[in-house]
Amino acid sequence: DVALSVAITAVTTLLAPLVTPALIWLLASAWLPVNFGALFMSIVQIVLLPIALGLIARRLLGNRVHQVVDILPLVSVVSIVIIVAAVVAASQAKIAESGLLIMTVVILHNSLGLGIGYLVGRLFGLPLAQRKTLSIEVGMQNSGLGAALASAHFSPLAAVPSALFSVWHNLSGALLATVYYAVKTVTDPDAPPNAGLFRPITVIATPGSILSSVSPAAVNGRTNTCQRVVDLVHGALAQAVPERIIAACNGAVISATF
């Protein structure tokens, strides 16, 4: 439900400068000093100020703004990568020491958010599309903002969970989408990709394996790994429906980027 997703994002963005410092103070002030005003100003600068500048630029430049719209998502991605890389580099030793524990907590946090969001939607009788939207909005958080706030107001180590949260999203999202794709191609390629089609599928990736790497392991070549997962799923299903399985690919993706 795109409209619901946009509405939730808009409301949470506007409330973030007040709600985020309040929650940090409520949950963490017993263990570390929390400056409500400083957090408020940081969130205004990081979240609300860019939105305001974007609206002003759109108002002043009109249709000319379309010339740069296509590259803005790339700018956002590069910015998040730089933030995550800086956080991980600053706390590399601590991550190597307790990375598995932190990653386990990150995965649990993400899973609880997704599950609770879905259950709350079901409790209030929302349609399936809106339950899924609520699940994603609750489970997927702005890890870049979390890392920036933790680094600026607490310590580099405090930003590590947010940084690993970004890494986990890239791993879990790609793995889940790949398995769904592989199963769909074998069962019914023309079936709509909805919750009913994928509900029977459970993906288990052992932390520390190539499909769920844990720091300090390097992460790269996600597309190549996904290709191998497709071949793996197809190979397993070939014993049941051999007539529907295509030949394996070369296990790699070759691309040229300009």
Side-chain angles (χ1 to χ4, degrees), residues 55-109:
L55 293 174
I56 294 173
R58 181 62 181 268
R59 182 71 174 178
L60 296 178
L61 299 178
N63 292 331
R64 285 175 293 177
V65 76
H66 293 298
Q67 299 175 7
V68 297
V69 166
D70 291 339
I71 67 171
L72 291 181
L74 177 61
V75 174
S76 298
V77 171
V78 171
S79 300
I80 292 296
V81 170
I82 292 174
I83 292 173
V84 172
V87 170
V88 172
S91 305
Q92 189 275 334
K94 289 293 185 180
I95 295 175
E97 179 181 336
S98 56
L100 181 59
L101 175 61
I102 297 176
M103 182 61 78
T104 301
V105 173
V106 166
I107 295 172
L108 181 61
H109 175 271

Side-chain angles (χ1 to χ4, degrees), residues 128-167:
L128 177 61
Q130 294 182 2
R131 296 201 301 266
K132 292 191 295 182
T133 300
L134 188 59
S135 173
I136 293 173
E137 289 293 333
V138 175
M140 300 297 181
Q141 301 300 317
N142 190 339
S143 54
L145 174 62
L149 291 177
S151 298
H153 297 280
F154 302 108
S155 68
L157 183 60
V160 169
S162 292
L164 294 183
F165 203 71
S166 296
V167 176

Side-chain angles (χ1 to χ4, degrees), residues 185-187 233-248:
T185 59
V186 175
T187 54
V233 175
H234 279 175
L237 295 176
Q239 302 179 49
V241 282
E243 70 281 358
R244 297 187 181 184
I245 303 299
I246 61 175

Side-chain angles (χ1 to χ4, degrees), residues 16-239:
L18 292 175
V19 175
T20 301
L23 288 175
I24 295 175
W25 179 85
L26 180 65
L27 300 174
S29 59
W31 292 276
L32 71 168
V34 177
N35 189 326
F36 187 99
L39 285 169
F40 175 85
M41 290 305 302
S42 292
I43 297 174
V44 169
Q45 294 169 6
I46 296 173
V47 177
L48 296 187
L49 184 59
I51 295 176
L53 292 176
L55 293 174
I56 294 173
R58 181 62 181 268
R59 182 71 174 178
L60 296 178
L61 299 178
N63 292 331
R64 285 175 293 177
V65 76
H66 293 298
Q67 299 175 7
V68 297
V69 166
D70 291 339
I71 67 171
L72 291 181
L74 177 61
V75 174
S76 298
V77 171
V78 171
S79 300
I80 292 296
V81 170
I82 292 174
I83 292 173
V84 172
V87 170
V88 172
S91 305
Q92 189 275 334
K94 289 293 185 180
I95 295 175
E97 179 181 336
S98 56
L100 181 59
L101 175 61
I102 297 176
M103 182 61 78
T104 301
V105 173
V106 166
I107 295 172
L108 181 61
H109 175 271
N110 183 218
S111 302
L112 286 175
L114 293 170
I116 291 173
Y118 186 89
L119 291 176
V120 169
R122 187 170 184 175
L123 179 64
F124 283 92
L126 297 180
L128 177 61
Q130 294 182 2
R131 296 201 301 266
K132 292 191 295 182
T133 300
L134 188 59
S135 173
I136 293 173
E137 289 293 333
V138 175
M140 300 297 181
Q141 301 300 317
N142 190 339
S143 54
L145 174 62
L149 291 177
S151 298
H153 297 280
F154 302 108
S155 68
L157 183 60
V160 169
S162 292
L164 294 183
F165 203 71
S166 296
V167 176
W168 169 246
H169 282 177
N170 281 279
L171 293 173
S172 61
L175 177 61
L176 196 61
T178 300
V179 173
Y180 283 172
Y181 161 79
V183 173
K184 186 175 182 295
T185 59
V186 175
T187 54
D188 186 356
D190 297 323
N194 54 33
L197 178 64
F198 301 131
R199 189 175 296 117
I201 303 173
T202 300
V203 179
I204 301 175
T206 304
S209 66
I210 192 174
L211 298 179
S212 183
S213 57
V214 175
S215 180
V219 178
N220 199 1
R222 182 182 66 177
T223 306
N224 291 319
T225 306
C226 290
Q227 287 289 339
R228 300 307 300 163
V229 171
V230 171
D231 290 340
L232 177 66
V233 175
H234 279 175
L237 295 176
Q239 302 179 49

